């Protein structure tokens, strides 16, 4: 049975049982505790916590959720049961059925025949585990399901008490295992051997809320959840391995084709060597996870989600090279995994080019890094052998890992080829120290879910009616007042308060558009609204300050949007859509929005793209955008179903979860069609001019365009025009000739500076003969310490020091020079060959001098440089240096 069919059977089983089928959420959600969605229940957290009522008719739901867990990336492939990306099939009950219902639903699907829509698993090979004191679940398994008591085992908190690892919902669980047979391990059930007995389903009886950890396997229980809930998860990949009769999750229809492609590319053979097999599995697993992350809008970067993606892609490249690949590989791997995953995720088809572009760009960048890292390894290995040692430093191996992305296995292989061993213990010590720092940093940043329970009553029973698409004012009733997270009944002058209204014309921040500004007015009372935020996508929270008067719960007010603010914000938001459309015309469909910010008169637009834009491309984007403005294109909004919107070609944002009904913003027919809930102008001419300020990098594979719109654009362009006019007048040249004239002047200036520098060096060279005469004998050495005139650069200091050292050749000479350059004091120490033979190390003398001038530096025994910030200490430093040489 193919994986796609396994997914379909699961969904249909629970839909027939009255559950609402919910599409998978993006891997990226706005959750402070998670980089990625790591469990099927994550999108349903507000319902489990009682912050919102579930919007499902029967209070039950089912989903096949995309998940990524990356805590043990280095262990991937070593075991054959775990993937970094996996699909968690789940059924959920929010206060409806509990233990008996969950267990019965799972058992029926697993054991029903293929003809009846089930998976047809042999019930005699199924085992169950329950939490230590969960007599109720054990009794259901034995009395209701008929599972023999000997196939029901009780396990502790580490195995059978579920939580997310952070504050949130939790509860005991019951897990279902499949006995794969004696060839896979010893008898005795999952308590004895969880390799032979493969866990395939986890039934969580969610009834508690946990707090912060109090130990490795303990945490504070904050209390009961509002309702007893069910959260179950069936591992799609594991069930696929069983139903397809393969040995592990890497040999199913989704991942085995990648392994086959890797065999063809590398020439290595899967299944003949344990080490090679791990590399094959890393390639398969990481190719799929990397592809799915890129699909959901992640791009490689040096931190956060982007760092995880970068690490995954680079591990693929390294593994392929260790297996024998010599060229680029990611494009082929991505093509295969996209083919296998598209039946379950049709959106892959529309993103193939972008996914490939991101992956290939990262591979090429890494191959360049790999080359420089190999050079670093060669230098370190040569140095190691030069000292007669046979062990490559663990610290050096860590540097290769941390700076150049070398895994320890690559370093081990290269070291073996060089006839060296590696200090693995030293490497692991450095890695442990880094992990400890990262863990401490992560814990410092991590916090529990935001407590939004104070808003729950309004979210569920009194969602805000937004009328701001057509009205800028509205009469409203105050349904709630919140101060410092607590519901209150009154606000006085000077108070900062959150106001909940039954009706609001004010736009709540979302989709990159900032919330409206405005006022709430009633008899003798004025509130300035400085921000509007959404809670649960249904409730508008108006953050305001009471300017005068007072406010009571239940009062009527007039809500007024700041018309100037709204006008500027709509201009910027619609301009963002035009720039997005222009980008795709110029750069192609792989330039996809990755984020935006719109405020009155200004916009920034982030997009996934791997190359810097040329001035010509930027100019063309600005031209297309302003041509659209000049064409006075109609801006239409259409409310329709998500399926219909996709058929229209409407673009959606990554990481955004849309409901069944969506709002489409269409500008000029096919020119721009996007899903968007923001406010917009009625026609493009109302935007006014759009001034594109430039573009920049915001991370690997991500670029940003910034622009002004409306009057802000006019003011900016007027200022630029005035500047150009003034410059043209000063240079006595037409404005169109300014670039050439400025280039000519710049060239002349460079030539003059070069000539001055040459004259300066000639003057310094002329002084060296006289400077040699100032050298004095200090113990065994001929020493020259001298402060040159201010303004001599570090490079010129090296030139003079090299000349003077040459003039002292044949005797143990030491030259020490310095010169103030602005706020810095560059200095240099040079030693002749004879001085070095007597034990002089210029680097040590630089460090000595640094202590007197608040500086730092280093170098080789015969020449070292530094820079300080305290010129007043130079004479004392010269004296200390002479004293040091005198004592040798």
């Amino acid at each position: 049975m193919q994986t796609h069919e396994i997914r379909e059977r699961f969904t249909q089983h629970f839909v027939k049982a009255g559950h609402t089928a919910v599409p998978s959420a993006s891997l990226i959600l706005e959750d402070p505790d998670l980089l990625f969605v790591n469990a099927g229940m994550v999108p349903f957290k507000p319902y489990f916590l009682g912050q919102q009522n579930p919007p499902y008719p029967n209070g039950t739901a089912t989903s096949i959720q995309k998940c990524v867990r990356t805590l043990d990336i280095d262990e991937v492939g070593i075991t054959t049961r775990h993937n970094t990306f996996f699909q968690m099939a789940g059924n959920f009950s929010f206060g409806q059925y509990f233990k008996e219902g969950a267990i019965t639903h799972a058992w029926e699907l697993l054991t029903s025949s293929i003809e009846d829509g089930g998976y047809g698993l042999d019930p005699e090979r199924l085992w169950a585990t329950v939490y230590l004191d969960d007599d109720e679940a054990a009794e259901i398994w034995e009395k209701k399901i008929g599972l023999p008591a000997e196939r029901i085992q009780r396990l502790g908190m580490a195995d059978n008490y579920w939580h997310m690892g952070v504050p949130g919902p939790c509860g005991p669980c019951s897990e279902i295992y499949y006995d794969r047979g004696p060839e896979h391990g010893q008898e005795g059930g999952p308590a004895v051997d969880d390799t032979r007995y493969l866990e395939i389903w986890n039934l969580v009886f969610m009834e508690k809320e946990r707090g912060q950890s109090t130990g490795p396997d303990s945490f504070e229980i904050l209390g009961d959840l509002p309702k007893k809930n069910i959260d179950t998860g069936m591992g799609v990949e594991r069930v696929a391995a069983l139903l397809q009769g393969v040995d592990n999750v890497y040999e199913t229809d989704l991942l085995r084709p990648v392994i086959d492609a890797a065999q063809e590319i590398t020439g290595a053979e899967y299944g003949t060597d344990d080490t090679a097999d791990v590399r094959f599995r890393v390639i398969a697993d990481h190719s799929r996870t990397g592809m799915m992350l890129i699909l959901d809008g992640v791009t490689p970067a040096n931190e956060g989600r982007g760092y995880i993606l970068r690490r995954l892609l680079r591990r693929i490249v390294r593994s392929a090279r260790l297996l024998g690949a010599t060229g680029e590989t990611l494009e082929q791997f991505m093509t295969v995994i996209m083919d296998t995953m598209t039946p379950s995720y049709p959106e892959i088809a529309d993103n193939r080019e972008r996914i490939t572009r991101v992956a290939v760009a990262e591979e090429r960048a890494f191959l360049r890094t790999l080359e420089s890292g190999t050079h670093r390894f060669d230098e370190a290995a040569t140095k190691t052998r030069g000292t007669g040692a046979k062990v490559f430093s663990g610290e050096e191996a860590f540097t290769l890992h941390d700076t150049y992305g070398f895994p320890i296995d690559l370093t081990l292989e290269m070291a073996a080829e060089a006839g060296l061993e590696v200090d693995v213990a030293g490497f692991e010590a450095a890695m442990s120290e880094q992990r400890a720092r990262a863990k401490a940093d992560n814990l410092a940043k991590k916090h529990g879910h935001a407590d939004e329970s104070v808003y729950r009553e309004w979210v569920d029973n009194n969602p805000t009616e937004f009328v701001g698409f057509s009205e800028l004012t509205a009469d409203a009733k105050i349904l709630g007042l919140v101060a410092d997270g607590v519901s209150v009944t009154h606000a006085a002058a000077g108070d900062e308060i959150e106001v909940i209204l039954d009706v609001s014309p004010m736009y709540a921040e979302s989709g990159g558009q900032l919330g409206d500004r405005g006022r709430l007015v009633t008899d003798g009372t004025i509130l300035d609204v400085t921000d509007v935020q959404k809670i649960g996508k249904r409730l508008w929270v108006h953050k305001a300050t009471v300017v005068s008067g007072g406010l009571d719960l239940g009062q009527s007010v007039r809500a007024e949007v700041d018309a100037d603010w709204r006008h500027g914000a709509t201009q910027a938001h619609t301009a963002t859509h035009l720039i997005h459309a222009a980008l795709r015309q110029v750069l192609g469909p792989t330039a996809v929005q990755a984020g935006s910010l719109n405020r009155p008169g200004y916009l920034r637009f982030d997009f996934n793209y791997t190359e810097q834009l040329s001035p010509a491309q930027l100019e063309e984007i600005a031209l297309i955008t302003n041509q659209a403005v000049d064409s006075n294109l109609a801006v239409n909004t259409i409310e329709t179903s998500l399926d219909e919107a996709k058929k229209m070609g409407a673009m959606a944002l990554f990481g955004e979860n849309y409901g069944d009904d969506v709002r489409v913003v269409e500008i000029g027919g096919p020119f721009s069609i996007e899903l968007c809930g923001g406010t917009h102008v009625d026609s493009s001419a109302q935007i006014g001019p759009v001034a594109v300020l430039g573009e920049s990098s915001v991370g690997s594979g991500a670029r940003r365009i910034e622009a002004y719109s409306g009057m802000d654009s006019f003011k900016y362009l007027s200022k630029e025009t005035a500047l150009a006019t003034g410059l043209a007048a000063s240079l006595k040249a037409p404005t169109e000739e300014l670039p050439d004239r400025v280039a000519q002047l710049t060239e002349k200036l460079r030539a003059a500076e070069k000539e001055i520098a040459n004259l300066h060096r000639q003057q310094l060279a002329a002084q060296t003969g006289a400077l040699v005469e100032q050298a004095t004998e200090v113990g065994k050495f001929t020493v020259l310490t001298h402060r040159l005139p201010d303004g001599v650069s570090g490079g010129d200091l090296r030139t003079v020091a090299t000349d003077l050292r040459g003039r002292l050749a044949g005797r143990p000479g030491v030259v020490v020079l310095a010169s103030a350059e602005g706020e810095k004091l560059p200095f240099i120490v040079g030693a002749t060959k004879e001085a070095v033979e007597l034990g002089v190390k210029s680097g040590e003398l630089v460090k000595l001098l640094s202590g007197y001038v608040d500086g730092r530096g280093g170098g080789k025994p015969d020449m070292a440089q530094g820079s300080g910030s305290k010129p007043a200490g130079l004479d004392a430093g010269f004296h200390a240096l002479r004293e040091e040489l005198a004592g040798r």
Side-chain angles (χ1 to χ4, degrees):
M1 187 181 299
Q2 297 296 290
T3 301
H4 184 62
E5 183 181 348
I6 293 171
R7 289 165 44 98
E8 283 297 309
R9 284 174 177 258
F10 185 95
T11 300
Q12 291 306 313
H13 175 77
F14 285 100
V15 167
K16 288 177 182 177
H19 295 62
T20 299
V22 179
S24 173
S26 166
L27 286 166
I28 307 166
L29 289 184
E30 293 182 5
D31 190 308
D33 297 319
L34 300 171
L35 275 179
F36 305 110
V37 170
N38 65 353
M41 60 74 60
V42 170
F44 303 101
K45 252 171 65 171
Y47 313 135
F48 288 127
L49 289 168
Q51 295 171 347
Q52 298 177 36
N53 283 331
Y56 313 119
N58 297 326
T60 58
T62 185
S63 70
I64 311 288
Q65 177 60 46
K66 300 179 288 187
C67 300
V68 167
R69 293 179 187 169
T70 58
L71 292 177
D72 301 307
I73 290 177
D74 292 326
E75 301 301 315
V76 167
I78 295 175
T79 72
T80 57
R81 302 194 307 273
H82 297 91
N83 299 127
T84 51
F85 172 89
F86 56 96
Q87 301 168 92
M88 188 58 72
N91 57 288
F92 308 94
S93 168
F94 309 103
Q96 304 302 312
Y97 61 80
F98 199 48
K99 293 181 182 179
E100 183 173 335
I103 291 171
T104 302
H105 279 311
W107 184 261
E108 288 177 350
L109 177 59
L110 291 174
T111 60
S112 292
S113 67
I114 302 294
E115 293 74 21
D116 290 336
Y119 294 140
L121 293 179
D122 182 357
E124 298 300 319
R125 304 185 75 167
L126 294 176
W127 290 61
T129 62
V130 298
Y131 186 54
L132 290 173
D133 60 2
D134 195 348
D135 296 334
E136 180 185 0
E139 184 175 348
I140 293 170
W141 277 114
E142 186 174 0
K143 301 289 179 61
K144 170 71 176 176
I145 302 301
L147 197 64
E150 60 270 20
R151 298 216 308 271
I152 305 170
Q153 296 184 326
R154 297 179 185 248
L155 299 176
M157 179 167 283
D159 296 292
N160 276 75
Y161 200 94
W162 187 92
H163 58 95
M164 292 177 59
V166 294
C170 64
C173 63
S174 178
E175 296 177 333
I176 304 174
Y177 289 79
Y178 182 84
D179 180 4
R180 297 197 294 162
E183 67 273 21
H184 292 280
Q186 57 183 317
E187 293 185 7
V192 174
D193 189 339
D194 64 357
T195 297
R196 168 175 170 171
Y197 300 88
L198 184 68
E199 178 198 343
I200 56 175
W201 205 320
N202 188 9
L203 312 169
V204 179
F205 311 129
M206 198 177 292
E207 53 189 358
K208 302 290 185 182
E209 181 177 358
R210 62 152 286 189
Q212 298 291 344
S213 295
T214 56
D217 290 316
S218 60
F219 40 79
E220 178 186 8
I221 296 294
L222 302 180
D224 293 333
L225 293 174
K227 297 177 180 178
K228 290 184 176 182
N229 306 302
I230 285 297
D231 156 32
T232 83
M234 185 195 81
V236 172
E237 280 74 15
R238 294 188 182 186
V239 171
L242 295 178
L243 295 181
Q244 292 173 19
V246 296
D247 187 56
N248 58 67
V249 295
Y250 292 94
E251 296 177 9
T252 65
D253 59 316
L254 297 185
L255 294 182
R256 180 62 200 224
V258 184
I259 291 177
D260 292 340
Q263 289 186 112
E264 185 176 341
I265 292 168
T266 64
E269 188 175 348
Y270 180 67
T272 59
D273 175 79
D274 289 344
T275 301
D277 285 353
V278 170
R279 291 169 183 162
F280 277 113
R281 291 193 285 264
V282 164
I283 291 170
D285 173 90
H286 290 3
S287 292
R288 180 170 65 169
T289 306
M291 185 274 292
M292 295 301 292
L293 290 179
I294 298 171
L295 176 67
D296 276 8
V298 182
T299 55
N302 288 328
E303 59 184 10
R305 298 182 179 104
Y307 175 72
I308 296 295
L309 174 59
R310 168 162 286 168
R311 190 175 173 201
L312 292 171
L313 295 179
R314 293 188 170 193
R315 290 193 85 223
I316 299 169
V317 176
R318 293 192 302 257
S319 297
R321 288 174 72 87
L322 290 171
L323 287 172
T326 56
E328 296 179 7
T329 60
L330 278 184
E331 181 173 0
Q332 297 170 79
F333 294 145
M334 288 294 158
T335 297
V336 174
I337 200 64
M338 285 189 286
D339 289 343
T340 68
M341 296 295 289
T342 297
S344 294
Y345 302 95
E347 62 270 27
I348 292 172
D350 296 329
N351 289 275
R352 291 179 73 100
E353 184 181 349
R354 179 179 60 83
I355 292 168
T356 302
R357 179 192 282 266
V358 171
V360 169
E362 179 61 22
E363 178 173 30
R364 289 173 181 169
F366 177 53
L367 290 176
R368 291 191 294 271
T369 301
L370 199 60
E371 185 177 342
S372 58
T374 301
H375 180 68
R376 172 65 181 258
F377 172 85
D378 290 341
E379 285 185 341
T382 299
K383 184 177 179 180
T384 300
R385 288 195 301 266
T387 63
K390 295 292 184 183
V391 179
F392 190 83
S393 161
E395 190 67 34
E396 189 66 47
F398 175 75
T399 298
L400 286 169
H401 166 85
D402 195 46
T403 305
Y404 298 95
F406 274 41
I408 188 62
D409 52 1
L410 180 58
T411 302
L412 286 167
E413 185 160 316
M414 293 173 66
E417 292 173 355
L420 299 171
E421 296 180 0
V422 177
D423 177 13
V424 177
F427 168 80
E428 291 177 346
M431 282 291 293
S432 297
E433 184 179 343
Q434 185 197 54
R435 288 192 185 109
R437 288 196 302 269
K439 184 177 181 181
D441 182 60
N442 189 44
L443 287 174
K445 293 177 181 177
K446 185 174 283 190
H447 56 87
H449 57 273
D451 184 6
E452 296 179 349
S453 57
V454 68
Y455 307 105
R456 182 189 170 203
E457 178 185 348
W458 301 302
V459 171
D460 289 340
N461 303 315
N462 300 104
T464 306
E465 180 187 355
F466 177 60
V467 296
F469 286 132
S470 58
E471 304 291 338
L472 294 183
T473 61
D475 293 325
K477 182 179 180 181
I478 297 176
L479 300 180
L481 297 171
V482 176
D484 298 322
V486 177
S487 180
V488 297
T489 59
H490 177 77
D495 287 352
E496 293 184 356
I497 194 80
E498 294 180 350
V499 183
I500 287 108
L501 305 174
D502 61 341
V503 176
S504 178
M506 298 187 190
Y507 183 77
E509 179 176 346
S510 63
Q513 181 177 334
L514 298 185
D516 276 335
R517 306 294 185 263
R519 300 195 313 169
L520 302 179
V521 182
T522 187
D523 294 337
T525 297
I526 298 176
L527 284 81
D528 274 346
V529 177
T530 56
D531 191 18
V532 187
Q533 293 291 323
K534 281 185 192 178
I535 301 293
K537 298 187 178 183
R538 305 177 71 202
L539 188 73
W540 269 232
V541 176
H542 305 74
K543 299 188 176 184
T545 301
V546 183
V547 177
S548 62
L551 202 64
D552 291 310
L553 192 65
Q555 266 188 278
S556 295
V557 296
R558 186 157 183 81
E560 303 174 349
V561 176
D562 182 330
D564 290 338
W565 174 279
R566 169 68 74 84
H567 178 63
T570 57
Q571 286 178 311
H573 198 157
T574 309
T576 302
H577 284 232
L578 299 185
I579 283 180
H580 191 188
L583 265 170
R584 291 172 65 80
Q585 283 191 34
V586 174
L587 304 179
T590 59
V592 178
Q593 181 171 353
S596 67
L597 181 142
N598 311 294
R599 64 169 186 259
Y602 169 84
L603 67 92
R604 72 173 188 229
F605 182 86
D606 296 345
F607 57 101
N608 293 326
Y609 202 67
T610 55
E611 301 169 10
Q612 181 180 357
L613 272 60
S614 69
Q617 287 175 319
L618 206 59
E619 184 178 352
E620 187 177 1
I621 290 165
L623 178 63
I624 293 172
T625 300
N626 282 285
Q627 283 175 337
V629 170
D630 187 58
S631 298
N632 196 23
L633 303 175
V635 179
N636 299 311
T637 57
I638 305 163
E639 293 188 359
T640 184
S641 69
L642 181 58
D643 288 340
E644 284 300 316
K646 289 179 177 178
K647 291 177 183 177
M648 292 169 59
M651 296 189 62
L653 287 178
F654 291 115
E656 186 72 27
N657 292 305
Y658 297 96
D660 293 332
D661 296 321
V662 295
R663 187 167 179 266
V664 177
V665 175
E666 177 193 74
I667 306 174
F671 182 80
S672 171
I673 307 176
E674 296 190 36
L675 296 181
C676 181
T679 62
H680 292 274
V681 297
D682 295 324
S683 66
S684 61
Q686 295 175 4
I687 297 171
V690 178
V692 176
L693 307 179
E695 69 94 35
S696 59
S697 170
V698 288
S700 177
R703 312 294 299 178
R704 170 175 293 169
I705 281 183
E706 296 178 86
Y708 288 134
S709 60
M711 285 303 298
D712 287 85
S713 175
F714 173 77
K715 291 174 184 177
Y716 168 77
L717 294 172
S718 295
K719 204 176 286 186
E720 292 290 297
T721 300
L723 178 63
T725 301
L727 187 58
S730 298
L731 296 178
K732 295 181 174 58
T735 53
E736 61 268 18
E737 294 181 9
L738 281 180
D740 290 338
R741 290 297 299 275
V742 171
Q744 292 170 10
L745 288 173
T746 302
E747 187 59 37
K748 286 182 179 180
L749 181 60
R750 287 177 181 158
E753 289 175 343
K754 188 174 181 180
E755 185 175 351
I756 291 169
N758 287 333
L759 289 172
H760 189 53
R761 278 192 288 270
Q762 291 172 18
Q763 289 175 343
L764 289 174
Q767 296 175 19
T768 55
L771 285 177
V772 169
E773 301 302 322
Q774 297 179 24
T776 59
E777 302 301 318
V778 179
K780 304 175 185 176
F781 305 99
T782 301
V783 181
L784 170 63
T785 56
H786 186 75
R787 176 171 176 170
L788 292 169
D790 291 352
V792 179
S793 68
D796 287 342
L797 277 180
R798 175 176 283 272
T799 299
V800 176
T802 301
D803 189 2
L804 290 169
R805 185 181 62 177
R807 292 173 184 259
L808 294 176
R811 45 182 164 163
V814 178
V815 177
V816 188
L817 303 176
S819 173
E821 187 180 23
E823 297 180 358
K824 295 183 179 180
L825 181 77
F827 55 87
I828 191 164
V829 176
T832 63
K833 181 180 69 172
E834 291 77 12
V836 172
E837 290 173 350
L838 289 176
V840 169
K841 293 182 179 178
S842 297
E844 292 179 355
L845 297 180
V846 160
K847 291 178 182 177
L848 173 64
L849 188 54
S850 293
Y852 290 87
V853 296
D854 287 349
R856 57 186 299 178
K860 297 180 180 180
D862 63 338
M863 186 74 75
Q865 282 184 267
S867 181
S869 57
K870 183 183 170 185
L874 186 61
D875 289 340
F878 280 166
H879 178 74
L881 191 145
R882 285 175 168 272
E883 288 287 316
E884 168 66 21
L885 291 172
R888 289 179 179 257

